[in-house]
C-alpha cells in the first residue's frame, strides 16, 4: 500500500509539472500573438506589453526548474519517468527561448517605429504567413506534448520545411527592396531580425516534437532523417 501511495504522489507531481509547462506555453503563445499584432500595426503599446511579459516567462521557467530538481532528488526516477522529466526541462527551456524571440520581435518593432517612413513600403505584412505557421507549430507541439502523441510530433517535424521556405522567400524579397532603394536598408535589417525570430520559434516547436518521441520511444531523433524518425516511432 505504501508503494502505491508513493506512486500516486509521484504521478500527481508529474501531472502538476506538465500542467505548469502548459501554462508557460499558453503565456508564451500570447506573447507571440501580441508581438505579431505589434508588428502588423506598428503598435508600440503592444510591443511594450510583450517586453513586460518576459519577466513572468523567466520567473515561470525558474519555478518549474526548481520543482523539477526537487522531484528528481526525492523520487530518483528511472526509464520513461526520467525521460519525461528531462523532456519537461528541455521543453521549458525552449518555451523560455520562444519568449525571448517574441521579445526580440517587439524590440525590433520599436526600432522600426523610431525610424523613417520608408518601412511602410516594405513587405512587413508578408511576415504574417510565417508568423501564423510558427504560432500554429508551437500550439500543435504543446498539444502533442500534453498527449505524448508521437504521430502528431512527426507531422510537426514534416511541416518545418514550410516555415523555412517562407523565411527564404522573405529574405529574397527584402534583398530586392534594399537593392532598389538604399533608404530601406536599415528598416529591412530590422525586419530580417524579425523574420529570423519567427523562424526560430518554429525551430523550438520542432525541438519539443523531438522530445515527445524521446519520452515515448526512448529514441533521440535530433539531427536524424525523416526516414529514421518514422522507423523510430513504429
Amino acid at each position: 500500500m505504501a508503494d502505491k501511495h508513493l506512486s500516486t504522489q509521484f504521478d500527481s507531481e508529474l501531472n502538476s509539472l506538465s500542467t505548469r509547462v502548459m501554462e508557460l506555453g499558453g503565456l508564451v503563445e500570447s506573447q507571440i500573438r501580441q508581438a505579431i499584432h505589434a508588428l502588423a500595426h506598428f503598435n508600440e503599446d503592444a510591443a511594450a506589453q510583450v517586453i513586460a511579459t518576459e519577466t513572468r516567462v523567466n520567473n515561470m521557467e525558474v519555478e518549474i526548474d526548481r520543482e523539477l530538481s526537487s522531484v528528481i532528488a526525492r523520487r530518483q526516477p528511472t526509464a520513461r519517468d526520467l525521460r519525461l522529466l528531462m523532456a519537461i526541462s528541455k521543453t521549458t527551456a525552449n518555451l523560455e527561448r520562444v519568449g525571448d524571440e517574441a521579445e526580440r520581435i517587439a524590440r525590433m518593432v520599436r526600432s522600426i517605429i523610431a525610424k523613417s517612413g520608408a518601412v511602410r513600403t516594405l513587405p512587413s505584412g508578408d511576415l504574417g504567413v510565417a508568423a501564423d505557421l510558427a504560432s500554429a507549430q508551437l500550439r500543435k507541439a504543446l498539444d502533442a506534448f500534453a498527449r505524448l502523441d508521437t504521430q502528431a510530433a512527426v507531422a510537426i517535424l514534416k511541416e518545418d520545411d514550410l516555415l523555412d521556405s517562407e523565411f527564404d522567400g522573405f529574405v529574397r524579397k527584402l534583398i530586392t527592396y534594399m537593392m532598389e532603394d538604399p533608404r530601406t536598408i536599415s528598416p529591412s535589417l530590422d525586419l530580417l531580425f524579425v523574420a529570423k525570430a519567427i523562424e526560430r520559434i518554429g525551430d523550438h516547436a520542432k525541438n519539443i516534437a523531438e522530445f515527445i518521441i524521446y519520452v515515448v520511444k526512448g529514441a533521440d531523433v535530433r539531427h536524424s532523417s525523416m526516414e529514421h524518425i518514422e522507423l523510430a516511432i513504429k
Side-chain angles (χ1 to χ4, degrees), residues 41-109:
H41 301 282
F42 298 109
N43 187 318
E44 192 158 3
D45 289 340
Q49 187 173 333
V50 173
I51 294 166
T53 303
E54 183 62 11
T55 300
R56 284 181 60 199
V57 171
N58 292 341
N59 288 341
M60 284 188 73
E61 181 196 22
V62 171
E63 290 166 8
I64 292 170
D65 280 348
R66 189 182 298 122
E67 193 173 343
L68 268 170
S69 298
S70 174
V71 170
I72 290 171
R74 287 184 290 103
R75 303 299 186 189
Q76 299 183 349
T78 58
R80 178 165 166 155
D81 288 336
L82 179 58
R83 295 200 302 271
L84 176 58
L85 289 168
M86 289 174 63
I88 286 174
S89 177
K90 290 178 180 291
T91 296
T92 300
N94 273 267
L95 289 174
E96 190 277 331
R97 291 185 188 119
V98 170
D100 288 343
E101 300 302 343
E103 182 188 26
R104 186 169 289 110
I105 292 169
R107 292 192 184 280
M108 287 301 102
V109 169

Side-chain angles (χ1 to χ4, degrees), residues 155-229:
I156 291 163
L157 297 178
K158 287 180 176 178
E159 291 174 7
D160 186 61
D161 287 344
L162 293 174
L163 193 53
D164 291 341
S165 295
E166 285 293 328
F167 174 74
D168 292 342
F170 184 76
V171 170
R172 286 194 296 271
K173 188 172 287 189
L174 274 183
I175 290 171
T176 301
Y177 275 82
M178 287 188 282
M179 289 174 65
E180 291 178 351
D181 185 356
R183 292 174 301 174
T184 66
I185 290 175
S186 181
S188 289
L189 290 175
D190 285 337
L191 284 182
L192 180 60
F193 284 124
V194 170
K196 189 61 183 174
I198 291 171
E199 187 207 21
R200 284 178 180 146
I201 289 170
D203 289 341
H204 290 304
K206 179 182 176 182
N207 291 344
I208 293 170
E210 290 171 345
F211 301 149
I212 295 165
I213 296 170
Y214 174 68
V215 171
V216 177
K217 298 295 184 178
D220 187 344
V221 297
R222 292 174 297 177
H223 318 300
S224 299
S225 67
M226 188 53 62
E227 182 182 7
H228 176 80
I229 292 170

Side-chain angles (χ1 to χ4, degrees), residues 1-15 75:
M1 289 296 291
D3 288 345
K4 184 176 180 181
H5 178 65
L6 288 173
S7 176
T8 301
Q9 281 186 327
F10 186 29
D11 288 344
S12 177
E13 289 168 352
L14 289 176
N15 289 335
R75 303 299 186 189

